[in-house]
Amino acid sequence: LKGLTVTHKHVNLINKAGGDQLSSNFRDKNPLAQVPVLELDDGRQLRESIAICRWFEEQQPEPNLFGADAWERAQIEQWNRHAELELLLPIAQMFRNTHAFWAGRIKQAPEYGEILRETVLSRFDWIEQELAQRPYLAGPRFTVADITALCAVDFGRISKLRIKPETQPNLAAWHARVSERPSAKA
Amino acid sequence: LKGLTVTHKHVNLINKAGGDQLSSNFRDKNPLAQVPVLELDDGRQLRESIAICRWFEEQQPEPNLFGADAWERAQIEQWNRHAELELLLPIAQMFRNTHAFWAGRIKQAPEYGEILRETVLSRFDWIEQELAQRPYLAGPRFTVADITALCAVDFGRISKLRIKPETQPNLAAWHARVSERPSAKA
């Protein structure tokens, strides 16, 4: 989307030893053993997806994704946090706590996963109402908040959380609108 | 800390009707029925604590809390997110899922709370190692990442999550250092 060139190094999260992210080499980059990590040409390292996105925004300001003035930046931050805290994190936690993939790998609490399912479904209904008022989450244009929300909704499919087009037509239309962007398909 | 004057309106989260945040008046400001909400003099409204903090930073840039250049901003964002995702959110979820206060108010998953307890205690050990290398979470000076981490650690007390000064001396020293600041006592 920004036209920046980044060399990707694949970190295999699942192998017989538990995953490449657990190696001492990777833990030197991130003691939390989490991806992604951005390495600059001069060796500096940066963790956390949104911190990396903010860095990219400053290196290549256009197209603007985080806001062009103080009020728009505050609004986009509000909506990006809503997308993360109300959608992406509960959806990720639901996956970890209920999916067979994680059985035996981590301690799961399926009971909590079911509580989260109700939460997320109610959030879909709330976002439906918001998207009845404007085409994108934070306002009239595509921003990082839409990227976060798209990642969340698509991630939810693995836990059978799906948009209901009959009762959530605005959410369904938004999902189609953001999914057909070239950067979403990349 | 910023010297900004904000009029506080108290929202009583617990009353016989379930809390003032559930009123239609408050839900007009935030459909999620969550505090805080910032109202500007011209009627505009902003939700989400960190969005409000960023707005304050732009209104009153000094003392700087979010970074003075692109790389520092990225580093502070990384550490503020670590403080939030690895400490504050699991501590808040542990409170909700295990504390007697919430019994009967929300659906709780105590089993998940105990999983989170182990996570948070391991994060305290990790932060201890980080704070052996520098006085503040994101580097040589106090930033918003320290504010988030201080809120998290103090919130943990209600769930009996405590710093162990014998094995976590750097974390204990950091906690004393940030707690004695006038803004922390305010």
Side-chain angles (χ1 to χ4, degrees):
Chain A
L1 183 61
K2 290 284 192 181
L4 293 164
T5 302
V6 178
T7 304
H8 290 82
K9 280 191 197 174
H10 185 71
V11 179
N12 190 350
L13 299 179
I14 306 156
N15 60 26
K16 286 184 184 174
D20 294 346
Q21 76 281 12
L22 301 174
S23 68
S24 62
N25 181 43
F26 189 84
R27 280 183 184 273
D28 285 345
K29 305 180 200 297
N30 188 351
L32 293 168
Q34 295 169 351
V35 289
V37 175
L38 178 71
E39 294 190 285
L40 305 191
D41 291 342
D42 63 12
R44 285 180 291 175
Q45 296 163 345
L46 186 61
R47 312 189 287 253
E48 282 295 325
S49 301
I50 289 290
I52 293 169
C53 291
R54 287 185 186 279
W55 171 256
F56 287 155
E57 177 93 343
E58 298 220 40
Q59 302 308 302
Q60 177 49 270
E62 300 299 331
N64 178 291
L65 294 173
F66 282 87
D69 60 39
W71 180 249
E72 198 193 28
R73 281 190 284 276
Q75 290 289 107
I76 292 171
E77 175 73 339
Q78 170 191 303
W79 279 105
N80 192 47
R81 289 181 62 85
H82 281 337
E84 180 158 11
L85 298 175
E86 308 300 332
L87 296 175
L88 184 56
L89 290 184
I91 286 169
Q93 288 184 316
M94 193 184 153
F95 173 59
R96 287 178 66 88
N97 280 292
T98 61
H99 202 278
F101 171 81
W102 287 103
R105 298 178 195 267
I106 59 168
K107 288 188 191 175
Q108 292 182 297
E111 182 191 8
Y112 188 60
E114 289 311 310
I115 294 172
L116 289 172
R117 176 184 295 278
E118 289 177 36
T119 302
V120 172
L121 291 177
S122 77
R123 294 312 190 231
F124 276 19
D125 285 332
W126 163 60
I127 298 282
E128 166 66 16
Q129 294 180 324
E130 296 288 339
L131 289 171
Q133 302 164 43
R134 54 189 183 275
Y136 296 101
L137 210 50
R141 68 183 182 86
F142 180 81
T143 72
V144 67
D146 297 292
I147 296 174
T148 302
L150 178 62
C151 292
V153 169
D154 287 348
F155 192 7
R157 293 176 65 88
I158 200 169
S159 300
K160 299 193 172 63
L161 291 162
R162 290 176 203 279
I163 295 169
K164 299 190 186 84
E166 325 81 63
T167 56
Q168 295 162 342
N170 293 295
L171 181 55
W174 165 87
H175 186 261
R177 195 178 306 132
V178 294
S179 298
E180 72 190 6
R181 297 174 60 91
S183 59
K185 292 178 185 165
Chain B
L1 184 60
K2 290 283 191 181
L4 294 165
T5 301
V6 178
T7 303
H8 291 81
K9 278 192 200 174
H10 186 70
V11 179
N12 190 350
L13 300 178
I14 308 156
N15 60 26
K16 285 183 183 171
D20 293 346
Q21 76 281 11
L22 302 174
S23 68
S24 64
N25 182 41
F26 189 84
R27 280 184 185 272
D28 284 345
K29 304 181 200 298
N30 188 349
L32 293 168
Q34 295 170 350
V35 289
V37 175
L38 178 71
E39 294 190 284
L40 306 190
D41 291 340
D42 64 10
R44 285 180 292 175
Q45 295 163 345
L46 186 61
R47 311 188 287 253
E48 281 295 325
S49 300
I50 289 290
I52 293 169
C53 291
R54 287 186 186 278
W55 171 255
F56 287 155
E57 177 94 341
E58 298 220 41
Q59 302 308 302
Q60 177 49 270
E62 298 300 333
N64 178 291
L65 294 174
F66 282 87
D69 60 40
W71 180 248
E72 199 193 26
R73 280 191 285 276
Q75 290 289 107
I76 292 171
E77 175 75 340
Q78 171 190 301
W79 280 105
N80 192 48
R81 288 180 63 85
H82 281 338
E84 180 158 10
L85 299 175
E86 307 301 332
L87 297 175
L88 185 56
L89 290 183
I91 286 169
Q93 288 183 315
M94 192 184 154
F95 173 59
R96 287 177 66 87
N97 280 293
T98 61
H99 202 279
F101 170 81
W102 287 102
R105 297 178 195 267
I106 60 168
K107 287 187 191 176
Q108 292 182 297
E111 182 190 9
Y112 188 59
E114 290 310 310
I115 294 172
L116 289 172
R117 176 184 295 278
E118 289 177 35
T119 302
V120 172
L121 292 177
S122 77
R123 295 312 189 231
F124 276 19
D125 285 332
W126 163 60
I127 298 282
E128 166 65 17
Q129 295 180 324
E130 296 288 339
L131 289 171
Q133 302 165 42
R134 54 190 181 276
Y136 296 101
L137 210 51
R141 68 182 183 86
F142 180 82
T143 71
V144 67
D146 297 291
I147 297 175
T148 302
L150 178 62
C151 292
V153 169
D154 287 347
F155 192 7
R157 294 176 64 88
I158 201 170
S159 301
K160 299 192 171 65
L161 291 162
R162 291 176 203 279
I163 295 170
K164 299 190 185 84
E166 323 82 62
T167 56
Q168 294 162 343
N170 293 295
L171 180 56
W174 165 85
H175 185 262
R177 194 178 306 131
V178 295
S179 297
E180 72 189 7
R181 297 174 59 90
S183 58
K185 293 177 183 164

